[in-house]
């Protein structure tokens, strides 16, 4: 009986395949492998990832729901093109949420977590001389992620 509970916990912590695919697509957008407005061909993705079409379609539906992708008749899904207003709304919202995360980290006073965030920040500062934009984006992503994780706020994460 106890063994069954352990197995259930392991299964519950795994991400569904469609979620993993959605994360890969998002990362491809961030990394510039998909450009704004570019069509997302589900069958090609399924073939490249060596998965069936069903989880790719589920991932695409999720990303449409999140506003990452859009869909249009006779064209299918494509990467959403952000307007200036969209960018302002997203970045101002992110600033508020990350401000909350920073306050939570400081208020809770977990020195190890603060040191971890500081370490990631110092790595980012050291990388400022690197002319590769991808390097800075990766460091910025790690910094934002470490700050949110250190907040220990489940919904914010």
């Amino acid at each position: 009986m106890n063994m069954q509970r352990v197995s259930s916990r392991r299964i519950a912590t795994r991400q569904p395949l469609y979620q993993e695919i959605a994360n890969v697509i998002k990362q491809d957008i961030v990394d510039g492998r998909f450009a704004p407005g570019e069509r997302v061909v589900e069958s090609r993705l399924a073939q490249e990832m060596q998965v069936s079409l069903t989880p790719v379609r589920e991932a695409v539906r999720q990303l449409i729901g999140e506003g990452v992708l859009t869909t249009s008749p006779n064209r299918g899904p494509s990467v959403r093109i952000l307007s200036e207003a969209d960018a302002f709304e997203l970045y101002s919202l992110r600033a508020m949420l990350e401000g909350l995360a920073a306050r939570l980290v400081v208020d809770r006073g977990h020195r190890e977590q603060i040191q971890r965030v500081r370490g990631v920040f110092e790595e980012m500062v050291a990388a400022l001389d690197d002319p590769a934009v991808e390097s800075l984006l990766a460091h910025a992503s790690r910094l934002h992620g470490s700050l949110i994780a250190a907040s220990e706020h489940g919904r914010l994460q």
Side-chain angles (χ1 to χ4, degrees):
M1 191 82 106
N2 189 19
M3 191 64 160
Q4 195 173 21
R5 284 187 192 147
V6 172
S7 296
S8 296
R9 271 191 244 136
R10 271 190 243 135
I11 291 169
T13 60
R14 272 190 38 200
Q15 279 189 327
L17 181 58
Y18 77 89
Q19 184 64 54
E20 291 180 33
I21 294 168
N23 290 339
V24 168
I25 295 169
K26 284 182 195 177
Q27 193 60 51
D28 284 351
I29 293 168
V30 168
D31 293 343
R33 287 189 280 273
F34 281 115
E38 184 176 343
R39 223 172 132 236
V40 176
V41 181
E42 296 166 336
S43 59
R44 187 179 320 145
L45 282 173
Q47 187 175 19
E48 288 172 4
M49 294 182 191
Q50 299 179 341
V51 297
S52 71
L53 202 50
T54 301
V56 173
R57 285 186 174 148
E58 289 177 33
V60 166
R61 269 196 301 273
Q62 176 184 327
L63 295 175
I64 290 169
E66 291 177 12
V68 174
L69 301 178
T70 60
T71 187
S72 55
N74 301 323
R75 189 162 189 271
S78 60
V79 178
R80 181 173 183 190
I81 299 173
L82 295 179
S83 67
E84 283 185 38
D86 290 330
F88 171 76
E89 287 180 3
L90 288 169
Y91 281 104
S92 62
L93 181 59
R94 183 175 187 168
M96 294 299 292
L97 293 174
E98 287 183 352
L100 170 63
R103 281 191 301 281
L104 290 171
V105 171
V106 171
D107 288 347
R108 291 181 176 155
H110 297 304
R111 292 200 185 280
E112 309 99 39
Q113 291 173 326
I114 293 170
Q115 284 304 108
R116 246 179 279 153
V117 172
R118 181 175 283 141
V120 173
F121 175 74
E122 289 170 359
E123 288 174 19
M124 184 176 169
V125 169
L128 286 175
D129 293 333
D130 186 347
V133 174
E134 296 82 15
S135 172
L136 187 57
L137 288 174
H139 284 289
S141 181
R142 282 190 54 226
L143 177 63
H144 296 298
S146 68
L147 181 62
I148 298 297
S151 75
E152 296 181 340
H153 189 293
R155 298 214 190 272
L156 186 55
Q157 292 174 0

